[in-house]
Amino acid sequence: MFGKRAAELLREVAFCQPDTLPPWNDELIRQVLEEVSEHNNMMKRIFRDVNKREAVKFAARGEGTEDEFPGVDWSQQPDEAAAVIVHHESILRNKRLLMTYVKERADRIKSLRWRGRSIPEHILPQLSPTEVQYFKTYDRLLTKYMRKGSTGIGMDLTLDARPPGDPNLQVRVVKDYGEMMFSSGRFILRRNMVLFLPRHEVESLVREGVLEPIELDNHLVTKY
Amino acid sequence: MEETQDFADTPYNTVDEAVPSGQSDAGLMKQMLINEKAAPEILTYQADLVARLEELIENQDQRIQDNDSPDAELIRSLYLQELLRVKYLLRSYLRTRIQKIEQYVMHILDDPEYQERLSPKELEYAKEFFVTSGQHLKEKVLQHMPPGFDKLLKQSATSEGNDTIPMPDLDRHVFCHVLEDRGTVELEETGTETAEFNKDDLYVVRYRPIRDLVQDGWVRLI
């Protein structure tokens, strides 16, 4: 009760490494939502009971019929008023926690798009179908903004996350990849081949794990 | 230095030391990027500057292609290096803005003044992003909440106005460098605390009192 479960839910995400996600916890969310509806029912019941009771008292005092009762003066009912406030606040707290849970996950899903065009295999099973859909919609949206033409700016903003250094980079091919076209010509990428290529042309292949920079400067390799 | 005379009348001419012509725009962009990164709120989109840089990038691209003789290898790699740096600045600038737009999307769309600070494409993006993430929250949480608690922009039906909108913290402290003599600047709304802003002074101040100075280019953030 009173938001404990929702806090637990959020803790799952908060205590998880930033590069992964815990599984979408449908069961716990259902429980939290149940709790919310319970709070809501209690609140309604208190409203109804107090209204009824006070209306009856009102009629008993002979000030009018039950239907003419103008409404409860809550300042005279401190116990019930406090109960209503606690239930109300509990709903708000649960709502805030649930929203934060969904938002925090959505933000991490968003950041996946900045690292690659698809959801990494180890994360995919942790997502709910709606979240997979969210990734796809976000992908479309961002791709549209970065596309050439009237809708976009014609620049891939996910490139050069760090300021450029030497424009060329020596890389080793980690796994066979097939033929690739570079500005200096066409190469068939075979394991253990060493190439010296413009940094911006190899960046995405390095991120995919096809190429590996040889120099000490390893900042292109993000650990995801 | 003569080539930078065009910019002598803007307060930004101090940003760059001796720079060859055409690079002043890159210097300006560097400052805009730093301002954007340091300011809590989204700043006005530098439409002209971005357009000039895009042109510059295109020219430089052309120049690299024209210099394709083997002897020009060194020249070509220097041009390429410069090109990559300019591209980096531009991309970082636009990327920083998109991230800020996403973070404060509701706040921006709620206020016409902020909307004007975005480029048309950014505004389009903001609107679509708001729909996407709003939809997501609705589907996952809001539609399962009891009536009265199912609104995205309000905590409950009893809230006065919209009270769930994340706002930038304008009272955050920022580091700033004064570019032109500005005299006395009020640091409190009540006018009880003031500071003398002289050229090349450095201050750590709350962002709110200097936000107009940043916008108008009297100070830069660092």
Side-chain angles (χ1 to χ4, degrees), chain A:
Chain A
M1 278 307 245
F2 308 114
K4 276 222 178 71
R5 285 205 191 92
E8 204 179 297
L9 191 62
L10 192 56
R11 218 169 283 137
E12 277 184 11
V13 184
F15 287 172
C16 164
Q17 293 295 319
D19 54 339
T20 64
L21 272 176
W24 171 260
N25 199 334
D26 218 27
E27 174 57 24
L28 199 49
I29 289 174
R30 205 184 46 75
Q31 288 179 13
V32 174
L33 287 168
E34 241 166 49
E35 197 182 302
V36 167
S37 103
E38 216 170 291
H39 280 302
N40 195 39
N41 290 337
M42 302 262 259
M43 203 163 71
K44 277 202 220 140
R45 196 164 60 228
I46 297 173
F47 261 118
R48 211 174 39 235
D49 290 353
V50 174
N51 240 310
K52 179 80 186 153
R53 192 184 67 211
E54 291 306 304
V56 169
K57 276 193 198 159
F58 177 76
R61 287 199 295 270
E63 292 169 34
T65 65
E66 277 182 39
D67 292 337
E68 284 164 8
F69 179 59
V72 180
D73 177 6
W74 286 97
S75 59
Q76 298 304 310
Q77 322 292 334
D79 295 356
E80 277 101 351
V84 166
I85 288 173
V86 169
H87 286 304
H88 188 258
E89 285 298 323
S90 299
I91 297 179
L92 293 189
R93 180 169 164 77
N94 275 318
K95 176 177 174 177
R96 242 183 344 254
L97 289 166
L98 281 176
M99 298 271 270
T100 313
Y101 178 72
V102 177
K103 173 89 169 35
E104 176 61 28
R105 290 180 62 97
D107 283 349
R108 293 197 191 183
I109 292 167
K110 242 171 46 185
S111 71
L112 295 176
R113 171 59 185 83
W114 288 85
R115 288 185 217 125
R117 285 301 297 271
S118 55
I119 305 171
E121 270 167 40
H122 69 286
I123 295 190
L124 192 57
Q126 319 282 53
L127 305 186
S128 74
T130 337
E131 287 178 316
V132 175
Q133 192 52 47
Y134 180 75
F135 179 86
K136 287 185 186 150
T137 319
Y138 184 73
D139 173 38
R140 266 203 302 278
L141 181 58
L142 191 64
T143 309
K144 185 178 135 199
Y145 177 71
M146 300 191 304
R147 202 166 42 207
K148 270 198 170 70
S150 57
T151 57
I153 52 172
M155 258 178 280
D156 186 351
L157 298 183
T158 64
L159 294 180
D160 331 301
R162 285 167 186 253
D166 188 337
N168 293 309
L169 191 64
Q170 195 160 35
V171 288
R172 183 188 296 115
V173 181
V174 182
K175 53 187 175 197
D176 292 345
Y177 195 71
E179 205 172 80
M180 276 297 289
M181 188 66 194
F182 296 100
S183 59
S184 42
R186 198 179 287 274
F187 296 103
I188 297 168
L189 300 183
R190 291 219 182 81
R191 214 171 112 81
N192 285 334
M193 222 165 128
V194 173
L195 299 161
F196 191 63
L197 290 166
R199 187 181 289 264
H200 62 280
E201 290 181 26
V202 297
E203 200 166 330
S204 59
L205 285 171
V206 169
R207 246 186 305 181
E208 265 180 64
V210 178
L211 303 177
E212 171 185 77
I214 293 177
E215 47 185 324
L216 283 174
D217 143 15
N218 258 345
H219 69 242
L220 278 171
V221 195
T222 14
K223 291 195 183 64
Y224 293 108

Side-chain angles (χ1 to χ4, degrees), chain B residues 13-187:
Chain B
N13 60 346
T14 50
V15 173
D16 275 300
E17 291 84 34
V19 284
S21 93
Q23 253 211 343
S24 303
D25 276 344
L28 260 176
M29 181 45 87
K30 185 170 153 200
Q31 189 50 55
M32 288 305 153
L33 170 63
I34 297 172
N35 275 357
E36 196 68 69
K37 282 202 167 174
E41 59 177 348
I42 188 106
L43 304 174
T44 305
Y45 180 67
Q46 302 290 322
D48 294 344
L49 182 59
V50 170
R52 286 206 299 274
L53 280 177
E54 279 174 341
E55 203 177 317
L56 183 93
I57 289 172
E58 212 168 294
N59 289 343
Q60 193 85 332
D61 241 342
Q62 195 57 47
R63 213 179 300 173
I64 291 169
Q65 280 171 25
D66 293 347
N67 273 301
D68 55 355
S69 71
D71 311 339
E73 178 61 42
L74 178 65
I75 306 248
R76 200 161 57 234
S77 85
L78 287 176
Y79 279 153
L80 184 64
Q81 199 150 354
E82 192 199 359
L83 178 69
L84 291 181
R85 288 190 175 155
V86 173
K87 274 189 174 168
Y88 166 75
L89 285 177
L90 191 54
R91 282 198 188 121
S92 280
Y93 175 70
L94 294 169
R95 181 166 51 225
T96 309
R97 290 181 60 86
I98 282 293
Q99 281 160 356
K100 273 171 127 174
I101 290 170
E102 285 178 359
Q103 193 177 0
Y104 299 118
V105 67
M106 296 195 246
H107 181 58
I108 290 171
L109 293 179
D110 213 30
D111 186 343
E113 200 187 310
Y114 274 109
Q115 286 189 32
E116 275 176 26
R117 296 186 181 188
L118 306 191
S119 77
K121 283 169 191 167
E122 284 174 339
L123 185 59
E124 180 72 10
Y125 182 85
K127 284 178 180 159
E128 286 182 39
F129 178 74
F130 172 66
V131 173
T132 306
S133 39
Q135 199 74 40
H136 186 60
L137 281 168
K138 246 176 226 160
E139 211 161 306
K140 283 299 188 192
V141 181
L142 295 167
Q143 68 178 12
H144 305 290
M145 297 295 285
F149 297 96
D150 56 355
K151 293 283 175 289
L152 178 60
L153 301 179
K154 291 181 180 199
Q155 289 197 54
S156 76
T158 53
S159 303
E160 291 169 17
N162 299 334
D163 59 357
T164 61
I165 300 183
M167 305 249 204
D169 177 12
L170 298 182
D171 289 317
R172 204 174 73 192
H173 282 75
V174 290
F175 289 81
C176 73
H177 171 197
V178 181
L179 296 170
E180 288 292 300
D181 286 345
R182 182 65 194 181
T184 310
V185 173
E186 284 180 10
L187 297 181

